Amino acid sequence: MKKSTRIKLLILGLLFISLLLFKKSILIAAAEYLVDTDEFRPTRYVCILSGDAKNRATKAVQLYNDGAVQQILCAGANLHFISELLDSEIVEPEFTRSVLHYHGVPDSVITVVKYGTSTKEEVEAIINYCHSHQIKELMVITSSFHARRVRYSFDVLFEGANIDIILQGADHPRYNTSNWWKSESGLIACNNEWIKCLYYIYKY
């Protein structure tokens, strides 16, 4: 066996051993990279992006009950999976509003911005809403694992918009950055988000 071949095999072996030894740290780091959120501070307006009505709305309820936000926007135009099952035209932000109602948030502080079937389109709709209502600071709630891609979308589309964004993540009850690989839903969430992040970087 050639010396160069032995060296290559040795390097591959060392890499394999390193992956085994540091597997958990690598997996945790892969998820933590996706969770790119801001330091929390209260603000008047909060916007809930579509995609996980229950967990994101629950986060907004906590903020509202704590007095950290006063007005809640529910964005998006995707049909909720329940709507598709029932052959209904109810879009996800309307389900989000229902979760808010269930937890006692009055309808007077909720606004549905019914536009956007992707993160990019939702961000564009939010920009237009903020400009038309002279909103200069906005908290945005997404799922924690989606935060990196959402951050990228806002950085690209909000450039020059003169609107300060406070990005917050809503955790999923069944997985987090320290155990996502132990459940099917966590595996799907992390893997899908990495693919989407790469797509957004390539596309936009």
PDB file of all heavy atoms in Angstrom, residues 139-168:
ATOM      1  N   MET A 139     -41.818  43.018  16.826  1.00  0.00           N
ATOM      2  CA  MET A 139     -41.348  41.710  17.258  1.00  0.00           C
ATOM      3  C   MET A 139     -41.931  40.660  16.315  1.00  0.00           C
ATOM      4  O   MET A 139     -43.098  40.751  15.929  1.00  0.00           O
ATOM      5  CB  MET A 139     -41.779  41.422  18.698  1.00  0.00           C
ATOM      6  CG  MET A 139     -41.220  40.111  19.257  1.00  0.00           C
ATOM      7  SD  MET A 139     -41.812  39.804  20.949  1.00  0.00           S
ATOM      8  CE  MET A 139     -41.066  41.177  21.825  1.00  0.00           C
ATOM      9  N   VAL A 140     -41.133  39.685  15.939  1.00  0.00           N
ATOM     10  CA  VAL A 140     -41.578  38.619  15.041  1.00  0.00           C
ATOM     11  C   VAL A 140     -41.376  37.278  15.732  1.00  0.00           C
ATOM     12  O   VAL A 140     -40.288  36.979  16.224  1.00  0.00           O
ATOM     13  CB  VAL A 140     -40.796  38.651  13.713  1.00  0.00           C
ATOM     14  CG1 VAL A 140     -41.189  37.471  12.823  1.00  0.00           C
ATOM     15  CG2 VAL A 140     -41.036  39.968  12.980  1.00  0.00           C
ATOM     16  N   ILE A 141     -42.447  36.467  15.746  1.00  0.00           N
ATOM     17  CA  ILE A 141     -42.376  35.141  16.354  1.00  0.00           C
ATOM     18  C   ILE A 141     -42.423  34.082  15.262  1.00  0.00           C
ATOM     19  O   ILE A 141     -43.342  34.048  14.443  1.00  0.00           O
ATOM     20  CB  ILE A 141     -43.527  34.903  17.345  1.00  0.00           C
ATOM     21  CG1 ILE A 141     -43.424  35.858  18.536  1.00  0.00           C
ATOM     22  CG2 ILE A 141     -43.514  33.453  17.847  1.00  0.00           C
ATOM     23  CD1 ILE A 141     -44.568  35.723  19.522  1.00  0.00           C
ATOM     24  N   THR A 142     -41.420  33.221  15.261  1.00  0.00           N
ATOM     25  CA  THR A 142     -41.402  32.053  14.400  1.00  0.00           C
ATOM     26  C   THR A 142     -40.991  30.865  15.261  1.00  0.00           C
ATOM     27  O   THR A 142     -40.739  31.005  16.461  1.00  0.00           O
ATOM     28  CB  THR A 142     -40.424  32.246  13.226  1.00  0.00           C
ATOM     29  OG1 THR A 142     -40.547  31.139  12.327  1.00  0.00           O
ATOM     30  CG2 THR A 142     -38.992  32.359  13.713  1.00  0.00           C
ATOM     31  N   SER A 143     -40.930  29.673  14.680  1.00  0.00           N
ATOM     32  CA  SER A 143     -40.407  28.523  15.423  1.00  0.00           C
ATOM     33  C   SER A 143     -38.902  28.692  15.593  1.00  0.00           C
ATOM     34  O   SER A 143     -38.222  29.224  14.715  1.00  0.00           O
ATOM     35  CB  SER A 143     -40.707  27.228  14.664  1.00  0.00           C
ATOM     36  OG  SER A 143     -42.102  27.042  14.536  1.00  0.00           O
ATOM     37  N   SER A 144     -38.378  28.226  16.704  1.00  0.00           N
ATOM     38  CA  SER A 144     -36.964  28.443  17.002  1.00  0.00           C
ATOM     39  C   SER A 144     -36.049  27.940  15.893  1.00  0.00           C
ATOM     40  O   SER A 144     -35.093  28.619  15.511  1.00  0.00           O
ATOM     41  CB  SER A 144     -36.603  27.749  18.326  1.00  0.00           C
ATOM     42  OG  SER A 144     -37.271  28.370  19.406  1.00  0.00           O
ATOM     43  N   PHE A 145     -36.344  26.753  15.342  1.00  0.00           N
ATOM     44  CA  PHE A 145     -35.494  26.189  14.304  1.00  0.00           C
ATOM     45  C   PHE A 145     -35.591  26.960  12.985  1.00  0.00           C
ATOM     46  O   PHE A 145     -34.751  26.784  12.109  1.00  0.00           O
ATOM     47  CB  PHE A 145     -35.857  24.720  14.061  1.00  0.00           C
ATOM     48  CG  PHE A 145     -35.230  23.758  15.048  1.00  0.00           C
ATOM     49  CD1 PHE A 145     -34.944  24.167  16.337  1.00  0.00           C
ATOM     50  CD2 PHE A 145     -34.935  22.458  14.687  1.00  0.00           C
ATOM     51  CE1 PHE A 145     -34.377  23.288  17.266  1.00  0.00           C
ATOM     52  CE2 PHE A 145     -34.367  21.574  15.598  1.00  0.00           C
ATOM     53  CZ  PHE A 145     -34.090  21.983  16.887  1.00  0.00           C
ATOM     54  N   HIS A 146     -36.600  27.798  12.827  1.00  0.00           N
ATOM     55  CA  HIS A 146     -36.771  28.573  11.593  1.00  0.00           C
ATOM     56  C   HIS A 146     -36.088  29.933  11.659  1.00  0.00           C
ATOM     57  O   HIS A 146     -36.057  30.662  10.671  1.00  0.00           O
ATOM     58  CB  HIS A 146     -38.263  28.799  11.312  1.00  0.00           C
ATOM     59  CG  HIS A 146     -39.028  27.539  11.076  1.00  0.00           C
ATOM     60  ND1 HIS A 146     -40.362  27.521  10.725  1.00  0.00           N
ATOM     61  CD2 HIS A 146     -38.655  26.236  11.128  1.00  0.00           C
ATOM     62  CE1 HIS A 146     -40.775  26.272  10.593  1.00  0.00           C
ATOM     63  NE2 HIS A 146     -39.757  25.480  10.837  1.00  0.00           N
ATOM     64  N   ALA A 147     -35.557  30.277  12.814  1.00  0.00           N
ATOM     65  CA  ALA A 147     -35.126  31.659  13.044  1.00  0.00           C
ATOM     66  C   ALA A 147     -34.016  32.107  12.094  1.00  0.00           C
ATOM     67  O   ALA A 147     -34.014  33.250  11.625  1.00  0.00           O
ATOM     68  CB  ALA A 147     -34.672  31.830  14.496  1.00  0.00           C
ATOM     69  N   ARG A 148     -33.049  31.256  11.800  1.00  0.00           N
ATOM     70  CA  ARG A 148     -31.944  31.642  10.923  1.00  0.00           C
ATOM     71  C   ARG A 148     -32.450  32.047   9.540  1.00  0.00           C
ATOM     72  O   ARG A 148     -32.054  33.072   8.981  1.00  0.00           O
ATOM     73  CB  ARG A 148     -30.949  30.482  10.809  1.00  0.00           C
ATOM     74  CG  ARG A 148     -29.827  30.687   9.794  1.00  0.00           C
ATOM     75  CD  ARG A 148     -28.810  31.702  10.232  1.00  0.00           C
ATOM     76  NE  ARG A 148     -28.157  31.337  11.476  1.00  0.00           N
ATOM     77  CZ  ARG A 148     -27.140  32.031  12.008  1.00  0.00           C
ATOM     78  NH1 ARG A 148     -26.680  33.108  11.384  1.00  0.00           N
ATOM     79  NH2 ARG A 148     -26.600  31.674  13.158  1.00  0.00           N
ATOM     80  N   ARG A 149     -33.377  31.240   8.975  1.00  0.00           N
ATOM     81  CA  ARG A 149     -33.896  31.538   7.637  1.00  0.00           C
ATOM     82  C   ARG A 149     -34.770  32.790   7.666  1.00  0.00           C
ATOM     83  O   ARG A 149     -34.736  33.609   6.736  1.00  0.00           O
ATOM     84  CB  ARG A 149     -34.686  30.346   7.103  1.00  0.00           C
ATOM     85  CG  ARG A 149     -35.317  30.558   5.742  1.00  0.00           C
ATOM     86  CD  ARG A 149     -35.742  29.232   5.142  1.00  0.00           C
ATOM     87  NE  ARG A 149     -36.567  28.477   6.035  1.00  0.00           N
ATOM     88  CZ  ARG A 149     -37.911  28.553   6.054  1.00  0.00           C
ATOM     89  NH1 ARG A 149     -38.539  29.375   5.225  1.00  0.00           N
ATOM     90  NH2 ARG A 149     -38.614  27.812   6.896  1.00  0.00           N
ATOM     91  N   VAL A 150     -35.559  32.930   8.718  1.00  0.00           N
ATOM     92  CA  VAL A 150     -36.388  34.124   8.848  1.00  0.00           C
ATOM     93  C   VAL A 150     -35.510  35.363   8.971  1.00  0.00           C
ATOM     94  O   VAL A 150     -35.774  36.400   8.366  1.00  0.00           O
ATOM     95  CB  VAL A 150     -37.333  34.002  10.060  1.00  0.00           C
ATOM     96  CG1 VAL A 150     -38.047  35.321  10.331  1.00  0.00           C
ATOM     97  CG2 VAL A 150     -38.348  32.892   9.822  1.00  0.00           C
ATOM     98  N   ARG A 151     -34.445  35.255   9.759  1.00  0.00           N
ATOM     99  CA  ARG A 151     -33.497  36.353   9.904  1.00  0.00           C
ATOM    100  C   ARG A 151     -32.930  36.751   8.538  1.00  0.00           C
ATOM    101  O   ARG A 151     -32.857  37.935   8.204  1.00  0.00           O
ATOM    102  CB  ARG A 151     -32.343  35.926  10.813  1.00  0.00           C
ATOM    103  CG  ARG A 151     -31.119  36.837  10.752  1.00  0.00           C
ATOM    104  CD  ARG A 151     -31.208  37.989  11.687  1.00  0.00           C
ATOM    105  NE  ARG A 151     -31.213  37.519  13.047  1.00  0.00           N
ATOM    106  CZ  ARG A 151     -31.706  38.219  14.080  1.00  0.00           C
ATOM    107  NH1 ARG A 151     -32.238  39.404  13.862  1.00  0.00           N
ATOM    108  NH2 ARG A 151     -31.682  37.744  15.303  1.00  0.00           N
ATOM    109  N   TYR A 152     -32.549  35.761   7.751  1.00  0.00           N
ATOM    110  CA  TYR A 152     -31.996  36.045   6.429  1.00  0.00           C
ATOM    111  C   TYR A 152     -33.019  36.765   5.558  1.00  0.00           C
ATOM    112  O   TYR A 152     -32.698  37.736   4.869  1.00  0.00           O
ATOM    113  CB  TYR A 152     -31.555  34.740   5.759  1.00  0.00           C
ATOM    114  CG  TYR A 152     -30.939  34.933   4.401  1.00  0.00           C
ATOM    115  CD1 TYR A 152     -29.619  35.359   4.273  1.00  0.00           C
ATOM    116  CD2 TYR A 152     -31.683  34.703   3.247  1.00  0.00           C
ATOM    117  CE1 TYR A 152     -29.053  35.546   3.020  1.00  0.00           C
ATOM    118  CE2 TYR A 152     -31.117  34.890   2.002  1.00  0.00           C
ATOM    119  CZ  TYR A 152     -29.798  35.306   1.884  1.00  0.00           C
ATOM    120  OH  TYR A 152     -29.257  35.501   0.654  1.00  0.00           O
ATOM    121  N   SER A 153     -34.275  36.306   5.602  1.00  0.00           N
ATOM    122  CA  SER A 153     -35.333  36.927   4.804  1.00  0.00           C
ATOM    123  C   SER A 153     -35.545  38.377   5.208  1.00  0.00           C
ATOM    124  O   SER A 153     -35.659  39.264   4.353  1.00  0.00           O
ATOM    125  CB  SER A 153     -36.642  36.149   4.969  1.00  0.00           C
ATOM    126  OG  SER A 153     -36.503  34.814   4.533  1.00  0.00           O
ATOM    127  N   PHE A 154     -35.580  38.640   6.508  1.00  0.00           N
ATOM    128  CA  PHE A 154     -35.771  40.012   6.976  1.00  0.00           C
ATOM    129  C   PHE A 154     -34.572  40.885   6.655  1.00  0.00           C
ATOM    130  O   PHE A 154     -34.730  42.049   6.274  1.00  0.00           O
ATOM    131  CB  PHE A 154     -36.058  40.022   8.480  1.00  0.00           C
ATOM    132  CG  PHE A 154     -37.503  39.817   8.819  1.00  0.00           C
ATOM    133  CD1 PHE A 154     -37.982  38.570   9.163  1.00  0.00           C
ATOM    134  CD2 PHE A 154     -38.403  40.869   8.778  1.00  0.00           C
ATOM    135  CE1 PHE A 154     -39.319  38.363   9.472  1.00  0.00           C
ATOM    136  CE2 PHE A 154     -39.744  40.687   9.084  1.00  0.00           C
ATOM    137  CZ  PHE A 154     -40.198  39.430   9.430  1.00  0.00           C
ATOM    138  N   ASP A 155     -33.368  40.338   6.802  1.00  0.00           N
ATOM    139  CA  ASP A 155     -32.171  41.130   6.500  1.00  0.00           C
ATOM    140  C   ASP A 155     -32.148  41.550   5.036  1.00  0.00           C
ATOM    141  O   ASP A 155     -31.783  42.685   4.707  1.00  0.00           O
ATOM    142  CB  ASP A 155     -30.906  40.327   6.826  1.00  0.00           C
ATOM    143  CG  ASP A 155     -30.634  40.248   8.318  1.00  0.00           C
ATOM    144  OD1 ASP A 155     -31.288  40.984   9.086  1.00  0.00           O
ATOM    145  OD2 ASP A 155     -29.768  39.450   8.716  1.00  0.00           O
ATOM    146  N   VAL A 156     -32.550  40.639   4.156  1.00  0.00           N
ATOM    147  CA  VAL A 156     -32.535  40.934   2.721  1.00  0.00           C
ATOM    148  C   VAL A 156     -33.664  41.892   2.343  1.00  0.00           C
ATOM    149  O   VAL A 156     -33.443  42.910   1.680  1.00  0.00           O
ATOM    150  CB  VAL A 156     -32.658  39.629   1.899  1.00  0.00           C
ATOM    151  CG1 VAL A 156     -32.868  39.952   0.426  1.00  0.00           C
ATOM    152  CG2 VAL A 156     -31.409  38.779   2.080  1.00  0.00           C
ATOM    153  N   LEU A 157     -34.873  41.590   2.792  1.00  0.00           N
ATOM    154  CA  LEU A 157     -36.041  42.354   2.351  1.00  0.00           C
ATOM    155  C   LEU A 157     -36.270  43.638   3.146  1.00  0.00           C
ATOM    156  O   LEU A 157     -36.861  44.587   2.630  1.00  0.00           O
ATOM    157  CB  LEU A 157     -37.290  41.474   2.423  1.00  0.00           C
ATOM    158  CG  LEU A 157     -37.260  40.235   1.516  1.00  0.00           C
ATOM    159  CD1 LEU A 157     -38.462  39.346   1.784  1.00  0.00           C
ATOM    160  CD2 LEU A 157     -37.235  40.639   0.049  1.00  0.00           C
ATOM    161  N   PHE A 158     -35.794  43.682   4.401  1.00  0.00           N
ATOM    162  CA  PHE A 158     -36.008  44.862   5.230  1.00  0.00           C
ATOM    163  C   PHE A 158     -34.892  45.888   5.096  1.00  0.00           C
ATOM    164  O   PHE A 158     -34.936  46.938   5.726  1.00  0.00           O
ATOM    165  CB  PHE A 158     -36.149  44.458   6.703  1.00  0.00           C
ATOM    166  CG  PHE A 158     -37.575  44.291   7.148  1.00  0.00           C
ATOM    167  CD1 PHE A 158     -38.403  43.380   6.537  1.00  0.00           C
ATOM    168  CD2 PHE A 158     -38.095  45.062   8.171  1.00  0.00           C
ATOM    169  CE1 PHE A 158     -39.705  43.213   6.941  1.00  0.00           C
ATOM    170  CE2 PHE A 158     -39.401  44.912   8.591  1.00  0.00           C
ATOM    171  CZ  PHE A 158     -40.219  43.990   7.975  1.00  0.00           C
ATOM    172  N   GLU A 159     -33.905  45.577   4.279  1.00  0.00           N
ATOM    173  CA  GLU A 159     -32.808  46.521   4.093  1.00  0.00           C
ATOM    174  C   GLU A 159     -33.338  47.849   3.542  1.00  0.00           C
ATOM    175  O   GLU A 159     -33.984  47.891   2.502  1.00  0.00           O
ATOM    176  CB  GLU A 159     -31.765  45.954   3.127  1.00  0.00           C
ATOM    177  CG  GLU A 159     -30.534  46.822   2.997  1.00  0.00           C
ATOM    178  CD  GLU A 159     -29.472  46.186   2.109  1.00  0.00           C
ATOM    179  OE1 GLU A 159     -29.722  45.079   1.584  1.00  0.00           O
ATOM    180  OE2 GLU A 159     -28.413  46.804   1.945  1.00  0.00           O
ATOM    181  N   GLY A 160     -33.126  48.905   4.271  1.00  0.00           N
ATOM    182  CA  GLY A 160     -33.619  50.213   3.858  1.00  0.00           C
ATOM    183  C   GLY A 160     -35.057  50.490   4.256  1.00  0.00           C
ATOM    184  O   GLY A 160     -35.574  51.577   3.982  1.00  0.00           O
ATOM    185  N   ALA A 161     -35.723  49.517   4.917  1.00  0.00           N
ATOM    186  CA  ALA A 161     -37.132  49.708   5.292  1.00  0.00           C
ATOM    187  C   ALA A 161     -37.286  50.583   6.534  1.00  0.00           C
ATOM    188  O   ALA A 161     -38.378  51.063   6.838  1.00  0.00           O
ATOM    189  CB  ALA A 161     -37.809  48.357   5.535  1.00  0.00           C
ATOM    190  N   ASN A 162     -36.210  50.781   7.293  1.00  0.00           N
ATOM    191  CA  ASN A 162     -36.223  51.610   8.503  1.00  0.00           C
ATOM    192  C   ASN A 162     -37.202  51.066   9.537  1.00  0.00           C
ATOM    193  O   ASN A 162     -37.945  51.819  10.175  1.00  0.00           O
ATOM    194  CB  ASN A 162     -36.573  53.065   8.156  1.00  0.00           C
ATOM    195  CG  ASN A 162     -36.222  54.018   9.296  1.00  0.00           C
ATOM    196  OD1 ASN A 162     -35.296  53.755  10.065  1.00  0.00           O
ATOM    197  ND2 ASN A 162     -36.960  55.113   9.399  1.00  0.00           N
ATOM    198  N   ILE A 163     -37.203  49.736   9.699  1.00  0.00           N
ATOM    199  CA  ILE A 163     -38.045  49.068  10.693  1.00  0.00           C
ATOM    200  C   ILE A 163     -37.149  48.158  11.526  1.00  0.00           C
ATOM    201  O   ILE A 163     -36.419  47.333  10.992  1.00  0.00           O
ATOM    202  CB  ILE A 163     -39.156  48.234  10.027  1.00  0.00           C
ATOM    203  CG1 ILE A 163     -40.030  49.117   9.129  1.00  0.00           C
ATOM    204  CG2 ILE A 163     -40.019  47.543  11.085  1.00  0.00           C
ATOM    205  CD1 ILE A 163     -40.974  48.325   8.242  1.00  0.00           C
ATOM    206  N   ASP A 164     -37.215  48.322  12.846  1.00  0.00           N
ATOM    207  CA  ASP A 164     -36.380  47.534  13.755  1.00  0.00           C
ATOM    208  C   ASP A 164     -37.089  46.226  14.080  1.00  0.00           C
ATOM    209  O   ASP A 164     -38.225  46.229  14.571  1.00  0.00           O
ATOM    210  CB  ASP A 164     -36.120  48.333  15.029  1.00  0.00           C
ATOM    211  CG  ASP A 164     -35.064  47.679  15.902  1.00  0.00           C
ATOM    212  OD1 ASP A 164     -34.372  46.775  15.405  1.00  0.00           O
ATOM    213  OD2 ASP A 164     -34.937  48.070  17.070  1.00  0.00           O
ATOM    214  N   ILE A 165     -36.437  45.089  13.796  1.00  0.00           N
ATOM    215  CA  ILE A 165     -37.026  43.774  14.015  1.00  0.00           C
ATOM    216  C   ILE A 165     -36.424  43.114  15.251  1.00  0.00           C
ATOM    217  O   ILE A 165     -35.201  43.094  15.430  1.00  0.00           O
ATOM    218  CB  ILE A 165     -36.803  42.857  12.790  1.00  0.00           C
ATOM    219  CG1 ILE A 165     -37.511  43.433  11.565  1.00  0.00           C
ATOM    220  CG2 ILE A 165     -37.292  41.445  13.066  1.00  0.00           C
ATOM    221  CD1 ILE A 165     -39.017  43.558  11.725  1.00  0.00           C
ATOM    222  N   ILE A 166     -37.299  42.562  16.104  1.00  0.00           N
ATOM    223  CA  ILE A 166     -36.891  41.786  17.273  1.00  0.00           C
ATOM    224  C   ILE A 166     -37.367  40.356  17.030  1.00  0.00           C
ATOM    225  O   ILE A 166     -38.557  40.056  17.146  1.00  0.00           O
ATOM    226  CB  ILE A 166     -37.510  42.336  18.569  1.00  0.00           C
ATOM    227  CG1 ILE A 166     -37.245  43.837  18.702  1.00  0.00           C
ATOM    228  CG2 ILE A 166     -36.997  41.577  19.777  1.00  0.00           C
ATOM    229  CD1 ILE A 166     -38.113  44.511  19.742  1.00  0.00           C
ATOM    230  N   LEU A 167     -36.464  39.472  16.667  1.00  0.00           N
ATOM    231  CA  LEU A 167     -36.836  38.106  16.292  1.00  0.00           C
ATOM    232  C   LEU A 167     -36.824  37.197  17.517  1.00  0.00           C
ATOM    233  O   LEU A 167     -35.829  37.111  18.230  1.00  0.00           O
ATOM    234  CB  LEU A 167     -35.865  37.585  15.229  1.00  0.00           C
ATOM    235  CG  LEU A 167     -36.166  36.218  14.625  1.00  0.00           C
ATOM    236  CD1 LEU A 167     -37.553  36.215  13.974  1.00  0.00           C
ATOM    237  CD2 LEU A 167     -35.101  35.845  13.606  1.00  0.00           C
ATOM    238  N   GLN A 168     -37.953  36.519  17.744  1.00  0.00           N
ATOM    239  CA  GLN A 168     -38.094  35.603  18.873  1.00  0.00           C
ATOM    240  C   GLN A 168     -38.526  34.222  18.375  1.00  0.00           C
ATOM    241  O   GLN A 168     -39.265  34.096  17.408  1.00  0.00           O
ATOM    242  CB  GLN A 168     -39.122  36.129  19.866  1.00  0.00           C
ATOM    243  CG  GLN A 168     -38.732  37.442  20.533  1.00  0.00           C
ATOM    244  CD  GLN A 168     -37.577  37.277  21.485  1.00  0.00           C
ATOM    245  OE1 GLN A 168     -37.675  36.603  22.503  1.00  0.00           O
ATOM    246  NE2 GLN A 168     -36.444  37.901  21.156  1.00  0.00           N
TER     247      GLN A 168
END
